[in-house]
Amino acid sequence: MSIAYRSRSVAQPDAPRRLSSVDLDRAQRLLANGNSLQSFADEYGFSTELQALQAIGQSMAMSVVDLSKETIDKSVLEGFPVRLIHRHGIFPIQRSETGIRIVLSNPFDVQAADAVSAATGLFVTTAIALPHEVATVIKTHLGVGAQTLDGLMAQAAGDEDEIEILGELSFEESEAAAMAQQASVVRLVNDILTEAVQARASDIHMEAQASGMKIRYRIDGVLQNQPVPPELNRFQAAILSRLKIMARLNIAEKRVPQDGRIKLRVSGREVDIRVSIIPMLHGEGVVMRVLDKDAMKFSLSGIGMEDDVCESFRELIRLPHGIVLVTGPTGSGKTTTLYSSLAEIRSERNKIITTEDPIEYQLEGINQIQVNHKVGLTFAACLRSILRHDPDVVLVGEIRDFETAENAVQASLTGHMVFSTLHTNDAAGAFMRLADMGVEPFLISSTLEGIMAQRLVRTLCKHCREAIMPSHDEVPPDFPIEEYTAGQPIYQARGCRACRGTGYSGRLGIYELLKANDEIRVLASERRGTNEIRKAALAAGMRTLRQDGWIKVARGLTSIEEVLRVTKAE
């Protein structure tokens, strides 16, 4: 899709005059001091800004683009760093596989092309255009509120205002605190956080190495290096102090781990950042978990469940009492599945109480309790107190020990629906895991209604995924090539600018749902092994994680490599 800009027509001068080096220096100083191009035109006798711009372009061997007549394809913005558009007052107008052409509103901004080249890895050519036309193009394509280039440059000069820290900060009277509050340090930290939010990063890793600070973002479950200038190393101590101040931690303490939380508003979006700082060999290491509230939409139909699995799971979570567990390793999306389940069943007719460590997202209409081990408020203690508040549904963040497991069982026996998570490799392993904690097998078999095991796989980038027709020798032995392909292609990752060269964009779940039937309950009560329970579940129609992954591959949602990465052969 392209948009043609048609603004006023401007009379072209017959022959723009060439300016001397003194004239160019004067123009550069005027623009650097915030004056408009019109002020230079008036001072040097040009009748319009365009004539002045053409004279500057003629003198600097730069072409002038009339954006009012330029047709710009929106695809040039795919993967382009938007922050550079605002910071430098530029806009991309043409792009190829190896190069990109940008227009400058300030012909003397020599750093703009270098910044774009460093961020994109492309060869950059430049042209110049009238500042108000660049501002109009930016507003039309990006919805920027600033009406003039002066407004955009003011926004860039005040980058620290792009992030609003929610809540009051307290500052110590120390040299470290003073350094952390310098405008350059504040802006640098804000750039790191803003870039992470815009890149959809779930975690920010800042690691102290012998060679300096290393920054990596975890995007779609995979860590990606972020290029940083060598000059960043001299700000390392100040950056850490600034983060500690924002997280309300002790900036003088560098010997023990510290945990904190930062609440921000980034471009109008509320973002929670959980901060963990640990002293390491070459300095303190920081990991920040980014929780973008506005980016999360909790819905069972939107997290990747196949229709039949989703329907069966909906039946489970609507049972009047019992236990439903979601299992999987850390970072497999268990919390998202549980939150989506609560969003599905919440209503004015039932009361839902959760106990979590920590509370990652605040859900409207649901009562949430934050675990606090320092004062003895554990999962088990919370669960005992919760039952006195007459809940219909209870969510326990994780069953870690016998006391929590026993209380969850007792809650289900007294007529409550209990949701929780457990760390097991597959769904069938949940029975043995609870028994190992000390729960009586007959109680497990009578209360556990279903277990959902899950993993997250990256979804293929829609812009660059590549269709292939593999042979039997090119796929894993258990991939049902005849059943799923039947002459239709599957897809593999390729990589483009839109997906940062990874070939993937976003994630979805693969699921293994085990519903307890009479045979499985008997096996559990007799404390039979996980393999026997698994065989009974497969005979009853359970689809394994691996099989669900192959369905996602056949539908073109993910690749064979992703399924192999998160599942094992059966």
Side-chain angles (χ1 to χ4, degrees):
M1 178 179 178
S2 61
I3 298 177
Y5 295 92
R6 294 185 177 86
S7 60
R8 60 171 179 79
S9 59
V10 183
Q12 300 291 328
D14 293 334
R17 72 171 188 254
R18 185 179 294 274
L19 301 175
S20 67
S21 59
V22 175
D23 296 336
L24 289 175
D25 288 342
R26 175 61 178 165
Q28 183 175 6
R29 285 197 301 272
L30 284 172
L31 295 179
N33 291 330
N35 295 289
S36 66
L37 187 61
Q38 186 63 55
S39 63
F40 175 75
D42 294 340
E43 182 174 334
Y44 279 80
F46 294 102
S47 58
T48 64
E49 282 184 311
L50 181 60
Q51 288 184 2
L53 187 68
Q54 288 181 324
I56 293 173
Q58 173 77 9
S59 305
M60 298 179 64
M62 300 179 72
S63 61
V64 178
V65 175
D66 186 355
L67 289 179
S68 65
K69 299 178 180 178
E70 191 80 15
T71 298
I72 300 175
D73 193 326
K74 281 189 174 181
S75 64
V76 298
L77 284 172
E78 293 176 0
F80 192 88
V82 176
R83 68 185 187 281
L84 297 183
I85 293 178
H86 297 309
R87 182 171 300 161
H88 294 281
I90 63 176
F91 202 85
I93 57 173
Q94 293 174 351
R95 190 177 71 184
S96 65
E97 292 185 359
T98 58
I100 191 167
R101 189 181 191 213
I102 62 173
V103 289
L104 311 175
S105 55
N106 182 354
F108 303 102
D109 188 356
V110 296
Q111 296 179 348
D114 293 338
V116 172
S117 179
T120 63
L122 299 174
F123 179 75
V124 179
T125 57
T126 59
I128 53 178
L130 289 171
H132 73 269
E133 290 188 354
V134 176
T136 299
V137 171
I138 293 173
K139 179 181 177 181
T140 302
H141 283 273
L142 301 178
V144 178
Q147 297 296 319
T148 64
L149 179 63
D150 290 339
L152 289 173
M153 296 305 288
Q155 178 181 344
D159 275 349
E160 59 268 27
D161 294 331
E162 292 178 1
I163 286 185
E164 176 187 355
I165 301 174
L166 303 180
E168 295 294 328
L169 298 182
S170 59
F171 306 105
E172 301 177 7
E173 296 295 333
S174 65
E175 183 179 353
M179 289 179 60
Q181 293 309 111
Q182 293 179 2
S184 57
V185 175
V186 172
R187 189 176 303 120
L188 188 55
V189 171
N190 288 353
D191 279 346
I192 293 171
L193 298 179
T194 302
E195 177 71 12
V197 173
Q198 292 175 346
R200 300 178 297 104
S202 61
D203 300 270
I204 306 169
H205 292 242
M206 303 176 68
E207 300 161 281
Q209 305 286 337
S211 57
M213 179 178 284
K214 182 178 182 180
I215 298 179
R216 295 190 288 175
Y217 294 158
R218 188 177 294 279
I219 302 174
D220 295 333
V222 177
L223 284 171
Q224 298 182 18
N225 281 326
Q226 299 301 307
V228 294
E231 294 78 17
L232 184 73
N233 294 327
R234 67 187 180 96
F235 290 106
Q236 181 172 340
I239 290 171
L240 287 172
S241 295
R242 172 62 182 171
L243 288 171
K244 287 181 180 179
I245 289 173
M246 295 172 72
R248 297 164 179 82
L249 302 176
N250 182 359
I251 67 172
E253 182 57 76
K254 300 180 180 179
R255 300 165 299 173
V256 298
Q258 296 190 73
D259 295 317
R261 196 162 193 164
I262 303 172
K263 291 188 176 182
L264 304 173
R265 184 174 287 112
V266 181
S267 303
R269 295 154 56 185
E270 283 196 20
V271 178
D272 277 359
I273 298 178
R274 283 165 27 202
V275 182
S276 176
I277 300 179
I278 299 179
M280 296 184 178
L281 178 62
H282 298 291
E284 292 177 286
V286 183
V287 174
M288 292 177 277
R289 169 64 56 88
V290 181
L291 303 172
D292 189 347
K293 296 180 179 180
D294 293 340
M296 292 301 298
K297 300 292 184 287
F298 296 111
S299 168
L300 286 179
S301 58
I303 58 177
M305 288 187 192
E306 297 299 315
D307 291 342
D308 57 340
V309 174
C310 189
E311 187 59 35
S312 296
F313 192 64
R314 283 192 169 109
E315 293 174 1
L316 282 177
I317 64 177
R318 284 183 167 83
L319 291 173
H321 54 81
I323 300 176
V324 172
L325 297 178
V326 180
T327 75
T330 301
S332 60
K334 299 187 298 294
T335 301
T336 300
T337 299
L338 287 175
Y339 279 2
S340 299
S341 301
L342 296 184
E344 185 95 8
I345 63 175
R346 66 181 169 186
S347 72
E348 295 296 326
R349 297 187 301 275
N350 60 24
K351 182 168 184 176
I352 303 174
I353 305 180
T354 75
T355 172
E356 306 170 58
D357 183 24
I359 296 173
E360 295 193 359
Y361 296 97
Q362 298 176 26
L363 301 178
E364 184 68 27
I366 294 174
N367 305 280
Q368 297 172 272
I369 302 172
Q370 169 69 57
V371 166
N372 188 342
H373 294 281
K374 293 181 181 178
V375 298
L377 191 61
T378 62
F379 282 125
C382 281
L383 192 48
R384 286 195 300 269
S385 299
I386 283 173
L387 297 182
R388 303 189 192 107
H389 277 245
D390 187 31
D392 298 291
V393 179
V394 177
L395 184 149
V396 182
E398 183 183 348
I399 295 179
R400 299 175 178 172
D401 50 39
F402 167 71
E403 189 178 7
T404 307
E406 184 182 42
N407 288 341
V409 168
Q410 292 302 321
S412 68
L413 289 173
T414 53
H416 302 89
M417 192 66 203
V418 180
F419 296 130
S420 190
T421 67
L422 200 64
H423 286 289
T424 62
N425 290 326
D426 57 12
F431 293 93
M432 187 61 68
R433 181 78 180 93
L434 291 174
D436 289 342
M437 287 182 184
V439 182
E440 291 292 341
F442 74 91
L443 291 176
I444 299 172
S445 64
S446 60
T447 57
L448 193 51
E449 298 292 341
I451 307 103
M452 176 74 84
Q454 67 178 78
R455 301 289 189 275
L456 290 178
V457 294
R458 292 181 292 173
T459 52
L460 288 165
C461 175
K462 295 180 180 178
H463 300 282
C464 66
R465 65 176 187 172
E466 187 175 34
I468 57 172
M469 294 290 292
S471 65
H472 285 81
D473 296 335
E474 297 172 322
V475 297
D478 61 327
F479 181 74
I481 188 169
E482 294 88 355
E483 179 182 351
Y484 286 156
T485 57
Q488 298 297 318
I490 61 174
Y491 294 86
Q492 65 181 6
R494 183 178 178 186
C496 67
R497 288 179 49 78
C499 59
R500 293 173 167 240
T502 64
Y504 300 94
S505 179
R507 288 187 291 177
L508 81 163
I510 58 174
Y511 300 93
E512 177 179 293
L513 178 60
L514 187 155
K515 295 179 70 174
N517 57 23
D518 291 341
E519 182 183 359
I520 291 174
R521 292 187 194 279
V522 170
L523 293 173
S525 64
E526 295 175 353
R527 198 165 181 170
R528 296 292 186 88
T530 297
N531 287 337
E532 289 189 57
I533 294 176
R534 180 181 176 83
K535 289 177 182 178
L538 290 171
M542 182 184 78
R543 187 161 56 235
T544 66
L545 288 167
R546 185 91 156 192
Q547 291 167 345
D548 195 51
W550 295 146
I551 292 176
K552 303 295 194 297
V553 171
R555 291 173 55 195
L557 299 176
T558 191
S559 65
I560 288 177
E561 289 75 18
E562 273 297 286
V563 177
L564 294 177
R565 183 175 67 88
V566 301
T567 66
K568 65 177 183 178
E570 298 159 1

